[in-house]
Amino acid sequence: MAFETILTETRGPVGLITLNRPKALNALSKQLVTELAAALDAFETDDAIGCIVITGSERAFAAGADIKEMKDKTFVEAFLQNFIGPNDWERVTHTRKPVIAAVAGYALGGGCELAMMCDFILAGDNARFGQPEITIGTIPGSGGTQRLTRFVGKSKAMEMCLTGRQMDAAEAERAGLVSRIIPVADLVEEAVKVATQIANLSRPVVLMAKEAVNRAYETTLAEGVKFERRLFHSSFALEDQKEGMNAFAEKRPPNFKHR
Ligand code: CO8
């Protein structure tokens, strides 16, 4: 795949996507968002890939949508183009394989929103999260007011969306926005390690677990638990469930067939 604004590589069973517009702090231009969607499509359809990592540079995961590109848009253009294109902005939320955001430096505006669309966030110790749109005369446009509120609660989300205040990595971890903090120099290596661990598990079961956790955001507790129970039951139809449990009983590592 030849892209201009991102880099893609495979590390064993992991697809690694690096946002790569260093001069613009990885601002999410139309081209970048389109290329990211294409890279996700490619890794999603590649059977050899079991988990995807999206990262940026040590200075910036992404400093938001590209302000220079969008500043002169009219309402009609933004509305008719759905900002910059069909559904590319939300592409990561449609990925069935797990996607980990490895965030170092700035994750602002659309950058913070992109990180929150991933399945979980590993933060470098220099990460900074924020929704500064209000300071440039607009509001978050890709889930910032909704996902941030669900992650960190109303008070922090409201303060951040109303003032543009940034959270550092420690606050983001305390607030539940990120799963853990990693020294920035080790961030990508650690994210690839975790992704490899996931990719070596039974793929159908991994996809079931992801679907079940995501259901918690979309339905009532009772319906979510019922959904989880049905998937749990159906996992007993898998050879990988037999292998996993037999391996435990026989005190050996499992050798999953479907990965
Ligand atoms: N867009 C375009 N260029 C940017 C952006 C951006 N978001 N952020 C930084 N850059 C550029 C700068 O213009 C600068 O370029 P140049 O060297 O040509 O002047 C270069 O990157 C380096 O930036 P700075 O010199 O500003 O670096 P600093 O270290 O001084 O500051 C900051 C870093 C604090 C990150 C600062 O650059 C900043 O505040 N950036 C803007 C952050 C922001 O407001 N982001 C929100 C954008 S709006 C948005 O994301 C809405 C998403 C809606 C999605 C809707 C989908 C449907």
Side-chain angles (χ1 to χ4, degrees):
M1 289 178 277
F3 296 120
E4 290 175 359
T5 61
I6 62 173
L7 304 169
T8 59
E9 61 183 287
T10 55
R11 301 237 188 131
V14 176
L16 176 62
I17 301 174
T18 305
L19 310 183
N20 188 36
R21 293 186 72 210
K23 289 189 183 139
L25 302 185
N26 293 333
L28 304 166
S29 61
K30 181 181 170 79
Q31 184 183 3
L32 188 151
V33 171
T34 308
E35 291 186 354
L36 175 60
L40 287 167
D41 280 339
F43 285 144
E44 180 83 322
T45 51
D46 182 346
D47 280 345
I49 297 297
C51 191
I52 299 164
V53 173
I54 302 179
T55 194
S57 67
E58 285 199 7
R59 188 166 170 216
F61 178 71
D66 191 313
I67 299 168
K68 293 165 192 165
E69 192 178 80
M70 73 179 152
K71 68 184 182 43
D72 296 322
K73 260 189 204 300
T74 64
F75 164 76
V76 170
E77 285 165 350
F79 182 62
L80 291 185
Q81 297 160 5
N82 196 14
F83 196 57
I84 57 169
N87 290 312
D88 286 353
W89 265 95
E90 300 275 323
R91 175 64 187 85
V92 68
T93 64
H94 304 133
T95 306
R96 295 184 77 206
K97 293 174 185 171
V99 184
I100 303 172
V103 175
Y106 294 111
L108 302 179
C112 187
E113 293 170 311
L114 173 63
M116 290 190 292
M117 283 184 230
C118 296
D119 294 310
F120 60 94
I121 302 174
L122 296 175
D125 50 16
N126 70 342
R128 299 191 68 82
F129 298 88
Q131 299 292 159
E133 289 91 341
I134 196 97
T135 66
I136 55 166
T138 186
I139 68 167
S142 201
T145 61
Q146 305 303 300
R147 291 196 179 89
L148 188 63
T149 308
R150 289 171 189 225
F151 275 114
V152 306
K154 178 180 169 187
S155 193
K156 269 187 197 294
M158 191 67 94
E159 187 202 355
M160 289 172 72
C161 289
L162 290 182
T163 68
R165 181 177 79 79
Q166 296 174 13
M167 261 190 202
D168 64 16
E171 184 180 359
E173 187 186 33
R174 277 199 307 277
L177 178 59
V178 310
S179 63
R180 60 198 167 90
I181 301 174
I182 292 152
V184 67
D186 305 330
L187 177 66
V188 173
E189 197 187 322
E190 177 64 15
V192 169
K193 195 169 129 196
V194 176
T196 305
Q197 196 185 334
I198 294 169
N200 283 330
L201 297 169
S202 167
R203 190 166 307 163
V205 179
V206 165
L207 266 53
M208 283 180 190
K210 170 169 168 165
E211 241 183 281
V213 173
N214 280 334
R215 192 52 76 100
Y217 283 97
E218 305 295 346
T219 190
T220 62
L221 179 61
E223 285 304 317
V225 170
K226 201 179 284 178
F227 179 80
E228 176 197 81
R229 188 67 44 84
R230 292 292 169 262
L231 287 179
F232 171 70
H233 292 159
S234 62
S235 74
F236 283 77
L238 293 168
E239 289 164 79
D240 283 346
Q241 172 270 331
K242 299 288 173 285
E243 168 60 12
M245 294 191 187
N246 280 325
F248 175 82
E250 291 161 16
K251 299 189 189 298
R252 62 172 173 83
N255 181 15
F256 293 119
K257 185 170 174 192
H258 298 291
R259 57 180 175 186

